[in-house]
Structures are given as structure tokens and as C-alpha cells.
Amino acid sequence: MRVLSGIQPTGRFHWGNYFGAIRQYIDLQHGNEAYYFIANLHALTTVREPALLRQYTHEAAIDLLALGLDPTKATLYVQSDVPEVSELCWLLMTVTPMGLLERCVAYKDKKAKGLAADAGLFAYPVLMAADILGYDSDVVPVGADQVQHIEVCRDLAGSFNHLFGETFVLPKAKVLDDSAKVPGTDGEKMSKSYNNTIELFEPAKAMRKKIMSIKTDSRPMEQPKDPAGDHLFDLYSLFATPQQRDEMAALYRRGGFGYGEVKKALADLADAFLAEPRSRREHWASHPDEVRAILADGASRARKKAGEVLRRAQKNAGVR
Ligand code: ADP
Ligand code: TRP
């Protein structure tokens, strides 16, 4: 199976990004042909500072490598290093109904808020479709919020195939439903836009401080509590083994403990979980040339495949 996914370098990755999306990419690199890329062209619709975008792009690569993405198993590249995809995007644009894009949430939400949207944001799902179709991808692991975009991709592939003959493989989305919504420090969905994130690679001390600041209710210590729907329990569960999770659930039901103890246990689990990624990250951060070489190698493999698909599409559409 060919697996492909992308992630935008719009800031440092947080727990939501990892448990909602990145974790599955890394799992799927085993036993599949995997393509993973850093979607810097998509990020350009929000990050307008060139130096910052460059920095986020490089750091996204380092973070993915630190989290276990193995460049000898998966092809890791930066989106803009494969111009074939942008060319393919135009071909797809010509079969994209306006109405389809008007219904897409990123654009619709911005418009509903009365904010000015640019054509890049509007056409965002078409570039995403080109990202996917350009590699004949079978499976696209994504967070729950991206499923609509995969549907758009399938629609466009279907229309193109209908008009010009069999050209594109129709991909399937793969969603991790048990972690669709990782809560933030305030209990709402963890998101950069809500300022409630815990970054994966913030220094250990700062991370612990953030964990200790997670909002909780003011239940008295001795009172038992249902763990279901408790965001601190949900965060604990992300890092816990099933046994640790059950033990914590029993403690909640029994009562007689403080949230401070849960937070401390959570911080300990997060530290243990991150020990290896942190040390791998140190290596990659101090060897930027190795990272650049990995990305260059990934881009050259990706261009080979995307070039094949682009030529097939151009031929079928009569522009080659
Ligand atoms: P943010 O909301 O912080 O800007 P992004 O939109 O850049 O995050 O998220 C990148 C991917 O990470 C998304 O496709 C989404 O699937 C996943 N993701 C982000 N936040 C969460 C969350 N709180 N829970 C689960 N998955 C998430
Ligand atoms: N839109 C995705 C996100 O915000 C990133 C992305 C761009 C992507 N192109 C893709 C994901 C292709 C999967 C496949 O998370």
C-alpha cells in the first residue's frame, strides 16, 4: 500500500498534532511505501514571515525525525521541493467546481467570521488533492478535521478520470477515531489558535509547569469522580499503558486524591515517553546538514514519482 500524508509547518508541534495525526504516520511507515511531507506551500496561507516559515519547516523535519520517522523507510520531503505537484494542481483546478470549495470549512469559517480570505485559502483543498493524487496514494492518514479534504480529493480525481479517462488512483482517508480530540490545558480542543497547547519539545521544566497549570474543577479531595469526560484523565490516558489507565480510573472513582498528584503522574509519564525523542532531537538539531541531505534525497525520490503521474495527467488532458 502507498501511504501519504502532510503536515503544515505553522508552529511547533503539540500533543494534539502528535496523538491526533503524526503518531499514525509513524506507525504506518512499517510495511507500507510511505511518503510524508512538510506542507510549506499550505502554511504560506497563514505564515507570512519568510524567516519564520523557513525555521518552522526545518524544525518540523527535525521533530518528525525525532519522533521516529525513519528516512530509510519513509520518503520525507518538503512540499515546495516538488514543483510537479503545483503543476498538477492547475490541471485539477480546471475540473474543480467553485461550489465544492465554497463548502470547505477552512474557507467557510474564515468568511463567516467576516475575515478576508485569499484565493490560496480558497483553493487549499485542490493543492491538497494534488499532493495526494501526484503519488498514486492509496491511503491518507489524517486527523478527523481533514476528512472533508480527502472527500474533495476523491471527487476531483473522479471528475478528472471521467473527463479524460483513468488517470488517478482514488485514495482513502484513515482516521484515528479514539484520539480525534486531544484537549488543551483549558479542556477545549488543543490548538495553536486557542493558546492552550503543550508543545512536544518544549524544555522539560517548562512542560512540567504547563502540565501543573492544567485547569481542573474545584472538587474537594475526598470526593469520588467519574474519569469519563475529565480532560486531565484524557491527557493522562494518552501516555498511559492500559493498566496505568485503569489504575488511574479506579483512583478517580475512589476519591481521596488531589489533581496535583494526577498532574505529577502525567508529567512523569510524558517525560519518560519523550526521553528518546528528546535525545534524537538533540542529534538532528546539531546536524542540520544531515537533515537537509535527508530532505534533498526525499525530494528527488518524490519528484520521480510525481513527474510520472504529472506526465500521465498532462497526456490524458491533451497538454502534452
Ligand atoms: P492547530 O489547530 O494547532 O493549528 P493544525 O491544524 O496545524 O493544529 O493540526 C495539524 C493536524 O494535527 C491536524 O490535521 C489535526 O488532525 C491534528 N490535530 C491538531 N490538534 C488536534 C487535537 N487537539 N486533537 C487531535 N488532533 C489534532
Ligand atoms: N491540510 C493538512 C493539515 O492541515 C496538511 C496537508 C496538506 C495534507 N496536504 C496534504 C495532509 C495531503 C494529507 C495529505 O493538516
Side-chain angles (χ1 to χ4, degrees), residues 7 10 14 16-17 20-21 143-146 179-182 189-192:
I7 187 139
T10 45
H14 53 69
N17 299 141
D145 60 323
Q146 296 297 316
S179 57
K181 195 185 123 187
V182 173
K189 180 184 173 181
M190 187 179 287
S191 169
K192 279 186 293 289

Side-chain angles (χ1 to χ4, degrees), residues 92 95-97 100 125-126 129 133 152-161:
L92 291 170
V95 303
T96 307
L100 190 65
V126 189
L133 300 176
V152 169
C153 172
R154 290 172 58 88
D155 270 16
L156 300 186
S159 304
F160 196 99
N161 287 353

Side-chain angles (χ1 to χ4, degrees), residues 12-230:
R12 299 303 305 278
F13 295 143
H14 53 69
W15 290 6
N17 299 141
Y18 179 72
F19 289 102
I22 297 172
R23 182 178 52 161
Q24 327 190 57
Y25 306 175
I26 291 174
D27 288 348
L28 286 166
Q29 71 186 342
H30 305 287
N32 293 297
E33 184 185 346
Y35 287 82
Y36 297 127
F37 66 94
I38 298 154
N40 61 341
L41 294 175
H42 277 111
L44 198 48
T45 62
T46 46
V47 184
R48 313 289 196 170
E49 284 179 56
L52 198 60
L53 183 55
R54 228 170 259 128
Q55 182 197 331
Y56 285 159
T57 304
H58 186 75
E59 279 178 358
I62 292 182
D63 287 357
L64 290 172
L65 292 167
L67 289 167
L69 197 146
D70 178 351
T72 65
K73 290 203 165 76
T75 298
L76 175 66
Y77 59 98
V78 175
Q79 186 181 31
S80 61
D81 285 342
V82 187
E84 287 79 2
V85 165
S86 298
E87 286 189 55
L88 190 57
C89 179
W90 176 257
L91 297 186
L92 291 170
M93 203 86 89
T94 64
V95 303
T96 307
M98 296 289 285
L100 190 65
L101 297 183
E102 273 157 4
R103 288 193 295 276
C104 285
V105 284
Y107 169 75
K108 214 165 84 176
D109 284 359
K110 200 155 186 185
K111 221 171 147 227
K113 286 191 192 128
L115 298 168
D118 51 56
L121 184 72
F122 185 65
Y124 174 118
V126 189
L127 179 59
M128 184 158 161
D131 285 328
I132 297 169
L133 300 176
Y135 300 90
D136 290 335
S137 315
D138 301 301
V139 172
V140 187
V142 280
D145 60 323
Q146 296 297 316
V147 172
Q148 183 187 35
H149 294 148
I150 312 295
E151 287 306 315
V152 169
C153 172
R154 290 172 58 88
D155 270 16
L156 300 186
S159 304
F160 196 99
N161 287 353
H162 182 70
L163 274 167
F164 300 121
E166 274 316 298
T167 308
F168 296 123
V169 173
L170 263 62
K172 282 199 181 66
K174 186 165 173 26
V175 189
L176 267 185
D177 43 24
D178 62 335
S179 57
K181 195 185 123 187
V182 173
T185 50
D186 57 358
E188 297 304 313
K189 180 184 173 181
M190 187 179 287
S191 169
K192 279 186 293 289
S193 351
Y194 304 151
N195 207 10
N196 63 357
T197 58
I198 305 177
E199 276 83 58
L200 276 168
F201 289 111
E202 52 190 310
K205 235 173 137 181
M207 177 180 283
R208 191 164 282 262
K209 210 168 151 204
K210 254 194 193 166
I211 293 172
M212 296 315 286
S213 77
I214 292 171
K215 270 197 202 142
T216 47
D217 56 38
S218 50
R219 146 195 167 287
M221 268 185 69
E222 59 281 1
Q223 204 172 299
K225 187 171 170 134
D226 186 1
D230 179 89

